[in-house]
Each structure stands twice: as C-alpha cells, then as structure tokens.
Amino acid sequence: MSQKQQDSNALAIAGIRRWIGNPLARRFIRFLITEDTCGNRLDTAIDLYIGIGHPEACIKCRFAGLLLQMIMQQSARIFGVDESQVRGGLQEPVFRKGLKNVLKGISDYGVTMPQKLDAPFLVVWDVTQQCNLRCRHCYRDAGTALPGEMNTDDSCALIDQLSDAGIAALAFSGGEPLMRKDLVTLIARAKSHGLYVSVASNGTLVTPEMAGRLRTAGMDYIEISVDGCDAATHDNFRGMPGAFSRTMEGIKNCVDAGIYTCIATTLTRETWHQVDAIHALGHDLGVQRMMIFNFIPTGRGADKEAQAKDLRPEEREALLKRIMALNETGEPPLILSTAPQFARVALQWENGNGKGVPVGHFYAGDELAGPARTLAEFIGGCGAGRLYCSIEPEGDVQPCVFMPLVVGNVRERPFCEIWHTAPVLLQLRDRRELKGTCGTCRYRLVCGGCRARAWAYYGDLNAPDPGCILNQQSWNALQPP
C-alpha cells in the first residue's frame, strides 16, 4: 500500500470516527434502532430511505428516515461508495440485517477497528457429524452421528433464535449436512426469516432431485469440496474410491438447477501446484466461485503426517499470488481464499490496483481505491469470534469450526448472551493483543493472521500465524531439527 493510500485511509478513518463514532451520533443511532408503536423503527426508516411509502408512520419514524438518509449519504461519501448501490442493497433482507447489526454494534461499542458487531454476520452450523466419506483433513473427524444432535423441532427453534439475534447468513455444514433428512426443512425455515442460506457439502449426495429440492427451499449458495483436479488425487484426499465422479455429478446437478455453485479446495504441499488445473475444471463445470481453504491442523488433520503436508510460508505466498494472477485474467470462476494473508497480498499486488480487497468470502468491491479500501480495515482479516462463529451438532458454540474451543451451549444459554459475554470471543475481537509479527504488522487490521492456526500450533489465540511469509522465523522454529 502506497503512502498516499495510507494517508487517504487515515483521513477516511478519522472522518468515520467524527461522523458516527462521537457520543451524539451514537445517541442518534440508539434512537434509530428503538422499537416503537410503528414496529421496528429502523425497518421503517430504511423503507422511507429507499422510497417505500409509510403514510401511517409516526413523526419519530419519519425523523428516523431523514436521519438514516444523512448517515448513509455521508458514509457513502467517506467510503467512496455509490449511494444508489446502497439503496439497491437495502432492498435485500440480508443487507438490511447487516446494516442493523453494524449500527447496533456502533451503538454499543462505538467505532472500533476491527468493528465489533452486535451479532455475527454468519453462523456456520455443523448440523451433524454424520459423513459418508473419510477425508484426511476433516476438522470434525466426522463419521457417525453424535447422540445429542438436535432434532427438527430444536433445530427450527435455534434458527428462530439466531434470526432474532440479528445474524444475516446461516451456513449448514457437517459432517455431510445432506445426511440429515430434514435439511430442506431447515433451509426453508431459515429462508422464511430472510437469511442468506448456504450449504457446505461433498456433493456426492446431490442428485438432480436433491438439487431441485434445495433450490425450491430457497438455498442461495452451495460450496462443494474438490480437493484435486483428478480422481486419483481427490479420492485419496477424501478417503473413498469413486468420490470424484460422484462429486462431479453433484456439481453439474447444482449448476443445472441454477444454484450459485462454488468449489472448495484445501491445498497442501502435495496439491497446491494443481490450482490452475482445478480452476480450469471449475470453469468447465460452470461454477461461479472457487474457495481455497487454509489447512488447519485440527481434528483428523492434527496428526503429524497431516501437519507435515501444511504449506510452507513461501508456498502459501506463491499460491496467493497465483490466485491474484488467475483472477486478473477475468476467466471464471472467481477465486478467494480463507487465508487472511490474501488481503495483504492483494494490497501489495501492483500497489493495490488488482481485483479488489478480499474480505473473508467476498471482495470489498472491484478495483477499490482510496477511502473505500478502509472497509477492509473495519471488517477484514480473520473473522473468528468477530464476524462469524460456529455451532456444533450438540449445540456447542465455538469461535470457528477449525477452533475447538467451546464458549457456551445454545441449549443452556441464549446465543446472544454467549456472543456478548464469552471471554474467548471478546479476546478475539481485540487485535491490540496479538503477539510477534502479527502484533506489529502494518496489515494487522486487514489480516491479523489466522487465529485457528495460531491456536493449533501454539495453543495461544494471540500467537503469530506461522503460515505467513512475514512470520518465516516462527515457522522455522516449529520445524524439527
């Protein structure tokens, strides 16, 4: 990032804090998010802002509409965003939930970097430990169902609770979520609340009929694992002969059904050179996105043999740069990575004039420049316990599916209470405590290192991520003599 860009970001951050981080602005925001006789005041204000009439709205709601308009216009100017795009986005329930979440977070905590939220944007819910494969790297060591997995009624009640808490997106994972006979029912329940719903699957159970049922239930997105460009590599990784051909059929069935389809790949020292070939495979299949997952030595991947296949820092750096180069060709699918360092690589790529700033599972706009890049500093980097968390099959809440630290159980305490009070989650939201290179890095806010890798390798949430090229010394110290 150039000095000019840094200065621009600093000015934008100062403007944001002056505009919506001061005590008076926070009082106005509390006024906006208050329930009144018209119902949810912020919902009414959003409707008025985007042009939906409310002739019955009270004077307070009409004032709230004007107040929201001022906030959105000024925020769009500071971030360099087209306000018409904001208005268009607010017509979508997910965007609305996200805005409410951010405003409530500012009301409670002020403007923080990274921004603390009233609820996670995303909850990844491992709805079962059942699985029909035996993947070498599985974070759950999945196979058979656990005795205390939630039934349909309990699961629907949890979805209701998560919606009330303010989450915007719910991802069903596992195990293999399609082994739950009621998955379509759960998807429909989540969609009834206006949530963005996704499914993470190995794809082997996605028949044409199942793809149609998922689409009809309202599923927005499916992520299907492909861990090699050919059957030999994929089947070896997935522990089941014939898995590759069945997965390919599952992907084709999703694409044919009109489902937004992503292929997910966990690359190791054995497979990272296949990134071009897997990307080409995704292109031929017609998928829209390719997600490259960080290998995390946890679950079945925690043994020494699996750890030995983790990418070296220089290999991960080369891989992330290769992703940027592939994206610049414009050939679909778009590639993203769960490695937080991807944002830093993007900012360094030709002085930040590449595809945009990767933030979790999306880009913060294409070819963003100047103040708009500040978005990445407010919401970027590792989102464990901050932008998202996981819920396990028996109700345990964790910061991340790859971080087996139980911070509460939704059968024992309300989800909101866990989110707002669990010490581990509070710790993960404060990057001032990061140690080593991660603590001093100029990219701490857009990256911060993978906290799950820090925990897996050091047993310390604030330790440096040994997978980053800037932490080469940490990686070297972990290697056997």
Side-chain angles (χ1 to χ4, degrees), residues 114 120 122 340 379-390 398-403 419 424-431 447 449-453 461:
L122 167 69
I379 61 175
C382 179
R386 187 178 62 84
L387 294 178
Y388 65 86
C389 67
S390 74
Q398 297 179 175
C400 170
V401 294
F402 299 106
M403 196 184 296
W419 178 257
V424 167
L425 302 184
L426 299 179
Q427 180 181 349
L428 286 165
R429 295 166 197 166
D430 188 355
R431 293 203 186 143
C447 173
C450 175
R451 296 300 95 210
R453 288 176 56 81
L461 293 173

Side-chain angles (χ1 to χ4, degrees), residues 206-213 215 219 222 224 247-262 284-288:
V206 186
T207 62
E209 178 192 10
M210 176 55 70
R213 292 178 63 202
R215 176 69 186 273
M219 185 184 71
I222 191 165
I224 296 179
T247 295
M248 293 299 103
E249 287 301 313
I251 292 170
K252 292 173 185 175
N253 292 334
C254 288
V255 172
D256 289 345
I259 297 170
Y260 191 107
T261 306
C262 168
D284 292 343
L285 290 167
V287 304
Q288 291 98 326

Side-chain angles (χ1 to χ4, degrees), residues 227-229 233 237 265-279 290 292-293 295 308-323 326 335:
D227 287 307
C229 63
T233 308
F237 208 78
T265 304
T266 301
L267 295 176
T268 67
R269 289 182 185 175
E270 297 174 330
T271 60
W272 76 274
H273 289 98
Q274 293 189 9
V275 62
D276 287 62
I278 298 172
H279 182 258
M290 176 177 171
I292 297 180
F293 274 83
F295 170 81
K309 295 179 173 58
D310 191 7
L311 291 174
R312 300 181 183 94
E314 63 271 20
E315 292 169 333
R316 180 171 284 103
E317 189 77 0
L319 172 62
L320 296 177
K321 289 180 178 178
R322 184 57 192 156
I323 293 172
L326 285 169
I335 316 178

Side-chain angles (χ1 to χ4, degrees), residues 129 134-142 295-304 306-307 398 401-404 452 455-456:
Q129 191 164 277
R134 289 288 296 174
C135 304
R136 288 162 50 189
H137 63 309
C138 179
Y139 61 80
R140 286 209 58 84
D141 194 10
F295 170 81
I296 312 291
T298 189
R300 206 176 290 147
D303 64 62
K304 294 299 181 182
Q307 284 192 32
Q398 297 179 175
V401 294
F402 299 106
M403 196 184 296
W455 174 256

